[in-house]
Amino acid sequence: MAYSDKVIDHYENPRNVGSLDKESSDVGTGVVGAPECGDVMKLQVQIEEGVIIDAKFKTFGCGSAIASSSLATEWLKGKTVEEATAIRNVDIVEELALPPVKIHCSVLAEDAIKQAISDYESKQNND
Amino acid sequence: MTTDVKQIYLDYQATTPVDERVLEAMLPYFSDKCGNAASRNHKFGWDAEKATQSARETIASGLNAKAREIAFTSGATESNNLAILGVAKMYAAKGKHLITCSTEHKAVLDPMAALQNEGYEVTVLDVDSNGHVDLNELRNAIREDTVLVSLMMANNEIGTIHPVKAIGDICHDNGVLFHTDATQAVGKELIDVQEMNIDLLSGSAHKMYGPKGVGFLYVRRRNPRVRLEPIFHGGGHERGIRSGTLNVPGIVGMAKAFDICLAERDEDHQRISALRDSLQTQLAAELTHLSINGDENNRLACSLNISFAFVEGESMLMGMSGIAVSSGSACTSASLEPSYVLRAMGVGDDLAHSSIRFSLGRFTTQQEVNRAAELTISTVKRLRDMSPLYEMALEGIDLATVSWGTH
């Protein structure tokens, strides 16, 4: 199948690959997908005073999954928590020109963002 | 191959380029020798008939069969359909039970499923982790009303070669017809339909450096005489079992291709298996967490199917652009189902998504193998560095014990 230039760019030059300390109280981690489905995304955000100051990802999955998570981290940096939770999978589909069979990659990315933020929020509530 | 130098073709189990000698043999039959092999009253027809007859003899002799036991078809899919549906319908009064196995090509499994919808019973044998059926299970599966056993000679995804002679002997002893889909083996493995007790055998030209769109079905004429209900009706060509004007250039090309394969088999086999082993060794020297799919002691010389744990197949293919290989991951399809062959062998879905099939051939060079190894290694390393699964494995987390969400 043909990939869009943006998918190829994110695949070849992924932004923000890596890991943040998942034990840290200002870091939220989201891990979504399953190996047997062929996609696992780990997305992490570091939040300071309601603003995402860093975001990292690691993804096991196809090029579109890698690109979706890479794009998500790029978008997350500098956003407030509120703005981050407003990111929708369709925004990712549109930006990366994902074909219908790859829409689930964008859904995973949206889920990962939500899970990472909710992990961060639950850490705050427990403090 | 004389294609773009940057492109390396390692997908010979999908299809092969036409050998130049084959193309040369075919060309006159598109133009000057344009006759219809069924035209009985002029030289064009006689020449075409002569050419197809000579092709029939070449193919038959390569299988230790008789020329009149070879029927030409449009390819192995048609041959498999004709063998399975043809036997099932012709022998329906004797019984309506057939046996096959879970790793067969869809061109066998789908006609079997179609028969099930028509009230036939099909036993699908399981395979072990190397892709082999248990011969005792096969023996036990044969019933009074069993009319056909269809088991492939060599598997298209993993290259495992079934013990065809042992299977043929079991079928013969039990009075059951034996069909083998030999698409991947014809021209590569030695085939003797007498010694192996094969009653029906499917082959295809384009897997052995011949053209696409032409194949054959061997149908035993003696001990026993196998009879088939035709699928196509319209002219009674091929002794009534396959109507339709013969694809004369294709048939000439297929015979030439088979002839070359037989003449050069030993050299090709030796050279290709050495290249395959070189590829496997280079990958294993640089990468951990590899698993070879298929029977390493009994597989096609051209075939190398590997699971690269913690990286997904489609993303690997993307990184290896310029190298044409196949992935066991079906992430490209809407189903998200990985290879059913690997799954049948007990390979987990995670590893099935991580598998790549390299298949080498006559025109593969050591330089191409080295380049493919280099690109595979760098791609796997790069993708593992961004794989959460690899990170977890390095942390000592057993991925099998993690409870994953669903999506």
Side-chain angles (χ1 to χ4, degrees):
Chain A
M1 66 185 295
Y3 297 96
S4 70
D5 290 345
K6 283 182 179 164
V7 168
I8 292 170
D9 180 41
H10 276 281
Y11 172 83
E12 285 175 353
N13 310 293
R15 331 297 198 244
N16 310 307
V17 174
S19 296
L20 301 169
D21 178 9
K22 61 175 182 262
E23 306 303 334
S24 173
S25 65
D26 60 350
V27 169
T29 302
V31 179
V32 296
E36 47 280 9
C37 301
D39 298 289
V40 175
M41 275 183 201
K42 187 187 79 166
L43 196 144
Q44 293 182 302
V45 288
Q46 188 178 359
I47 298 174
E48 211 167 78
E49 290 170 4
V51 176
I52 296 169
I53 57 163
D54 202 2
K56 297 273 186 205
F57 85 94
K58 283 201 171 187
T59 290
F60 161 84
C62 65
S64 302
I66 290 170
S68 295
S69 38
S70 170
L71 176 68
T73 57
E74 205 177 29
W75 277 355
L76 286 170
K77 282 203 206 175
K79 279 205 165 55
T80 64
V81 169
E82 209 166 65
E83 288 166 341
T85 46
I87 294 174
R88 299 283 316 281
N89 84 291
V90 289
D91 305 331
I92 295 169
V93 171
E94 196 176 320
E95 173 68 15
L96 296 176
L98 296 180
V101 293
K102 296 298 185 186
I103 286 173
H104 72 276
C105 299
S106 68
V107 174
L108 272 185
E110 184 188 320
D111 289 351
I113 294 170
K114 296 216 159 82
Q115 216 188 81
I117 287 170
S118 112
D119 178 55
Y120 167 78
E121 284 173 343
S122 71
K123 278 182 180 173
Q124 305 312 304
N125 295 338
N126 290 342
D127 281 349
Chain B
M1 275 192 290
T2 54
T3 49
D4 186 340
V5 285
K6 285 177 290 187
Q7 293 289 321
I8 296 177
Y9 188 76
L10 294 179
D11 208 9
Y12 280 81
Q13 280 181 275
T15 192
T16 57
V18 172
D19 190 297
E20 281 177 22
R21 294 165 287 182
V22 170
L23 183 61
E24 203 178 310
M26 291 171 69
L27 286 176
Y29 293 92
F30 286 105
S31 48
D32 295 348
K33 300 181 178 180
C34 68
N36 185 326
S39 295
R40 307 277 182 207
N41 46 14
H42 53 67
K43 188 174 184 312
F44 293 90
W46 302 329
D47 283 349
E49 159 63 14
K50 203 173 140 199
T52 56
Q53 191 50 31
S54 156
R56 217 182 283 283
E57 278 159 19
T58 302
I59 289 164
S61 77
L63 304 169
N64 193 21
K66 298 276 187 288
R68 63 180 190 281
E69 295 178 310
I70 303 298
F72 294 120
T73 65
S74 63
T77 295
E78 188 193 333
S79 300
N80 288 337
N81 273 269
L82 179 56
I84 293 163
L85 302 176
V87 164
K89 302 210 162 151
M90 181 59 79
Y91 294 87
K94 182 185 178 243
K96 292 180 122 183
H97 178 239
L98 301 90
I99 298 170
T100 186
C101 81
S102 51
T103 51
E104 290 291 318
H105 194 274
K106 289 288 183 191
V108 166
L109 294 176
D110 286 354
M112 289 280 184
L115 286 171
Q116 278 179 307
N117 289 336
E118 291 178 30
Y120 287 79
E121 275 186 77
V122 177
T123 299
V124 181
L125 299 171
D126 290 331
V127 298
D128 66 17
S129 58
N130 284 327
H132 284 298
V133 293
D134 181 326
L135 296 183
N136 278 323
E137 268 178 43
L138 168 62
R139 224 174 259 119
N140 294 335
I142 296 175
R143 320 188 308 208
E144 203 51 28
D145 61 343
T146 307
V147 290
L148 183 72
V149 170
S150 180
L151 291 170
M152 69 204 324
M153 192 166 284
N155 186 275
N156 48 303
E157 285 192 32
I158 52 169
T160 292
I161 300 170
H162 278 158
V164 172
K165 178 173 163 42
I167 294 166
D169 290 349
I170 292 170
C171 295
H172 187 79
D173 292 347
N174 288 278
V176 175
L177 296 178
F178 173 38
H179 165 249
T180 189
D181 173 4
T183 308
Q184 293 287 341
V186 173
K188 300 190 190 102
E189 297 301 313
L190 294 175
I191 301 175
D192 183 325
V193 292
Q194 302 306 332
E195 194 218 329
M196 293 172 161
N197 276 314
I198 296 166
D199 298 311
L200 299 124
L201 180 145
S202 302
S204 181
H206 79 99
K207 306 286 191 190
M208 52 173 174
Y209 312 97
K212 293 163 185 64
V214 59
F216 68 88
L217 179 66
Y218 156 77
V219 186
R220 178 179 287 280
R221 296 263 293 181
R222 292 190 61 183
N223 303 319
R225 179 187 175 132
V226 179
R227 296 167 64 230
L228 297 177
E229 180 84 27
I231 299 174
F232 295 172
H233 304 273
H237 307 73
E238 300 299 90
R239 297 177 320 284
I241 65 169
R242 203 278 186 178
S243 286
T245 297
L246 290 180
N247 171 0
V248 179
I251 290 164
V252 168
M254 176 163 64
K256 181 70 180 174
F258 192 32
D259 204 30
I260 295 170
C261 282
L262 293 177
E264 299 178 359
R265 197 198 85 95
D266 290 349
E267 290 156 53
D268 271 357
H269 194 276
Q270 231 171 38
R271 202 178 56 80
I272 292 167
S273 64
L275 287 173
R276 188 268 317 272
D277 292 345
S278 160
L279 179 57
Q280 185 173 332
T281 309
Q282 291 186 56
L283 296 175
E286 286 292 324
L287 296 170
T288 58
H289 299 92
L290 299 185
S291 44
I292 306 295
N293 301 310
D295 181 357
E296 280 195 70
N297 298 318
N298 212 348
R299 68 180 157 166
L300 293 171
C302 64
S303 178
L304 178 59
N305 188 313
I306 309 190
S307 294
F308 299 87
F310 320 122
V311 295
E312 190 274 335
E314 193 186 324
S315 65
M316 279 192 65
L317 295 193
M318 211 174 152
M320 294 158 63
S321 70
I323 315 268
V325 293
S326 285
S327 167
S329 178
C331 193
T332 42
S333 75
S335 71
L336 299 177
E337 292 287 313
S339 155
Y340 68 92
V341 171
L342 297 178
R343 183 180 271 184
M345 293 160 62
V347 174
D349 282 0
D350 51 339
L351 282 179
H353 278 297
S354 303
S355 73
I356 299 284
R357 179 189 73 183
F358 300 88
S359 50
L360 289 61
R362 182 176 291 159
F363 306 109
T364 306
T365 64
Q366 183 71 55
Q367 286 77 5
E368 288 179 324
V369 163
N370 295 348
R371 176 79 189 126
E374 196 182 307
L375 242 159
T376 307
I377 291 162
S378 62
T379 302
V380 171
K381 285 186 172 170
R382 189 173 90 85
L383 291 174
R384 279 184 177 168
D385 282 344
M386 66 167 102
S387 166
L389 304 180
Y390 188 55
E391 182 181 66
M392 290 164 92
L394 292 182
E395 285 169 10
I397 298 168
D398 180 0
L399 296 173
T401 64
V402 176
S403 85
W404 302 98
T406 50
H407 75 280

